[in-house]
Amino acid sequence: MIRIEGGRPLSGRVVIGGSKNAALPALAAALLTDEPIRLKNVPAVVDISTMVNLLERFGASWNRDQAGGLTVQVGRIAGTEAPYDLVRRMRASVLVLGPLLARAGRARVSLPGGCAIGERPIDMHLGALRKMGGTIAIEHGYVSASCGRLTGADITFPGKTVTGTENLMMASCLARGRTVLRNCAREPEVVDLAELLRAMGARVEGAGKDVIEIEGVDRLHGAEHRVIADRIEAGTYIVAAALAGEEVTVDCCEPAHLGALLEKVGESGSEITALPGAVVVRRPGGRLRSCDLATAPHPGFPTDMQAQFMAMMTQAEGRAAIVESIFEHRFMHAQELRRMGADIRIEGNTARVFGPTPLSGADVTASDLRASACLVVAGLVASGPTVVHRIYHLDRGYERIEEKLRGLGAAVEREKE
Ligand code: EPU
């Protein structure tokens, strides 16, 4: 668990690590070639270890250095099954489906099942892979897929899906002919994956736009790639600084990836300066102001920042309407915030936060990664200690969060559960 003694103002500089959600597909892409993929700026978080464990089952050897470098090589595919115990721990395991199918002609991946933040089915991944010639059956809780060589196709995703777009980009790199993917997710992580794939010899155009076109090639080769900065980790410290800070520099991030968030943090009363590779957050005197927001696919406000922003809105003057448009159950942190004294009312996919209300520290439990971050952020301004339990969720996606917050002056300790 993590214990936070609230009330210490944050100041100084925090360094942001590599993006978890960009590193995960980059690791899955290593399945597409027998040569080594050398990644830099890979965060030391549990989801990355889970993905590496999964790749080991498929025959990967790997090597990690102290400086965030991770090299993975899948010389020969030694297995094609992603078992329940790993997929259950991390839904992004589904990212191996496309590359395994493209390289080995078959894959068996456990269905992810229910998830704390919503249904999150993978029907869009499967529909698109079928269009490329994959034969897919769902049996015994597993997706069993097989194919000869995949063939290029014209595919329109019925809705925006980040890992779905990534899966299909990877699958089509080794397909016969041209694939056109329409209504693609435009997240920076999709663009980063396209860069790695191009470095591996793939012919991918349009990543970051609605339509991505891929001309299949016969083989891909090894490559070196630096993973982009984690915009959600950066966003979490930006919100923490806006809520509890004096002046904080969030360093080694990409302000261009943070547009919608920076706009809202500015609207709520903090002073934001975007520099090349850094964001400075200054909290002028006076109260924060409430502002409304609705989560949306990139470049909209990220669902992965909704919980942390809600923590901040508990201390803002007025009423904030927060609409969650991506995941139907992503308000479970609201209940825990209420236990700390927040006034939050939920109706359907809208949370109304009435502020400011003083928060008092409490024992709280989070149900997912970003909800845990929300509770840590709330703890920074609560009176008395806040103890966040089940922090394995936090460790899935935040590197050394207690050290980084301590570096900014917060009183945060990790303790045995
Ligand atoms: N959806 C479907 N069918 C599909 C795929 C998705 O209906 O086949 C629905 C989902 O249920 C959801 C929406 O579409 O309502 C968007 O889901 P998406 O597929 O985009 O989510 P994801 O790819 O599973 C990634 C991130 C999440 C992030 C979402 C949305 C990774 C590894 N994960 O998930 O990150 O919340 O995009 O931006 O990239 C996190 O880091 O904490 C996290 C949950």
Side-chain angles (χ1 to χ4, degrees):
M1 56 199 178
I2 278 188
R3 176 186 298 270
I4 305 135
E5 288 286 342
R8 305 258 191 106
L10 305 185
S11 65
R13 169 177 174 266
V14 59
V15 174
I16 301 308
S19 162
K20 163 181 86 74
N21 288 351
L24 288 170
L27 286 167
L31 288 166
L32 292 166
T33 173
D34 57 1
E35 293 181 10
I37 299 297
R38 294 177 211 285
L39 299 175
K40 294 184 199 155
N41 204 30
V42 177
V45 296
V46 171
D47 272 8
I48 297 297
S49 316
T50 305
M51 182 58 96
V52 169
N53 282 344
L54 192 55
L55 296 181
E56 270 183 332
R57 290 177 179 246
F58 307 142
S61 54
W62 56 276
N63 176 48
R64 187 153 196 149
D65 67 36
Q66 291 302 309
L70 179 55
T71 300
V72 180
Q73 181 169 15
V74 191
R76 198 178 64 81
I77 300 274
T80 53
E81 177 165 321
Y84 178 66
D85 65 311
L86 287 177
V87 179
R88 185 172 51 99
R89 264 186 264 161
M90 185 185 68
R91 300 181 49 103
S93 306
V94 74
L95 281 166
V96 301
L97 183 58
L100 273 181
L101 206 50
R103 170 131 171 240
R106 68 199 150 85
R108 195 160 179 267
V109 177
S110 170
L111 276 172
C115 164
I117 62 177
E119 267 301 302
R120 300 178 80 190
I122 54 166
D123 55 318
M124 295 197 261
H125 303 231
L126 303 186
L129 288 169
R130 280 195 181 106
K131 274 203 115 179
M132 296 188 71
T135 304
I136 295 172
I138 296 189
E139 47 196 14
H140 312 299
Y142 276 77
V143 175
S144 290
S146 61
C147 63
R149 186 173 177 191
L150 291 168
T151 38
D154 193 314
I155 294 163
T156 303
F157 289 108
K160 297 275 186 203
T161 166
V162 177
T163 50
T165 302
E166 292 164 347
N167 233 336
L168 267 293
M169 273 165 67
M170 292 188 277
S172 44
C173 284
L174 289 177
R176 187 185 308 116
R178 189 173 191 76
T179 300
V180 182
L181 302 174
R182 301 178 196 275
N183 196 26
C184 290
R186 294 185 287 161
E187 269 67 4
E189 294 77 16
V190 171
V191 178
D192 199 44
L193 174 63
E195 270 192 24
L196 167 63
L197 292 172
R198 271 198 297 272
M200 293 168 70
R203 294 170 59 190
V204 185
E205 298 293 335
K209 301 193 191 123
D210 260 11
V211 180
I212 302 179
E213 297 189 44
I214 300 125
E215 190 70 49
V217 296
D218 288 340
R219 68 179 298 273
L220 294 175
H221 51 71
E224 203 172 285
H225 177 72
R226 185 178 171 83
V227 173
I228 53 171
D230 196 310
R231 65 194 167 99
I232 306 300
E233 187 195 20
T236 302
Y237 288 103
I238 287 168
V239 165
L243 178 63
E246 287 166 345
E247 178 170 326
V248 172
T249 301
V250 179
D251 209 354
C252 303
C253 66
E254 180 45 79
H257 295 167
L258 289 160
L261 173 74
L262 295 182
E263 201 174 296
K264 285 293 168 190
V265 173
E267 202 179 311
S268 64
S270 294
E271 221 175 86
I272 299 282
T273 313
L275 303 170
V279 172
V280 182
V281 186
R282 258 181 235 102
R283 172 72 195 282
R287 285 209 184 284
L288 290 170
R289 290 187 294 273
S290 292
C291 56
D292 298 341
L293 69 85
T295 62
H298 193 77
F301 191 96
T303 173
D304 290 344
M305 283 304 306
Q306 179 258 109
Q308 303 88 313
F309 202 86
M310 188 185 289
M312 180 165 87
M313 284 299 100
T314 67
Q315 300 310 297
E317 183 97 51
R319 187 187 75 175
I322 299 181
V323 179
E324 174 54 59
S325 336
I326 312 281
F327 291 116
E328 66 267 37
H329 300 139
R330 213 172 196 180
F331 278 149
M332 275 155 330
H333 43 281
Q335 237 167 319
E336 296 300 276
L337 287 174
R338 267 202 297 255
R339 294 183 52 246
M340 296 174 73
D343 182 357
I344 303 172
R345 301 168 208 175
I346 302 217
E347 246 174 73
N349 68 342
T350 303
R352 289 197 169 73
V353 188
F354 297 82
T357 49
L359 296 182
S360 67
D363 281 281
V364 285
T365 303
S367 44
D368 79 74
L369 169 54
R370 308 304 171 187
S372 315
C374 149
L375 297 174
V376 171
V377 167
L380 295 172
V381 291
S383 60
T386 296
V387 180
V388 181
H389 296 265
R390 284 215 218 146
I391 51 162
Y392 60 82
H393 286 299
L394 265 183
D395 293 333
R396 287 185 51 196
Y398 289 90
E399 210 173 13
R400 297 179 288 107
I401 189 167
E402 69 279 17
E403 263 177 56
K404 289 190 183 187
L405 284 171
R406 269 204 303 271
L408 292 174
V412 183
E413 294 296 336
R414 179 179 289 255
E415 291 171 9
K416 282 228 155 64
E417 194 76 42

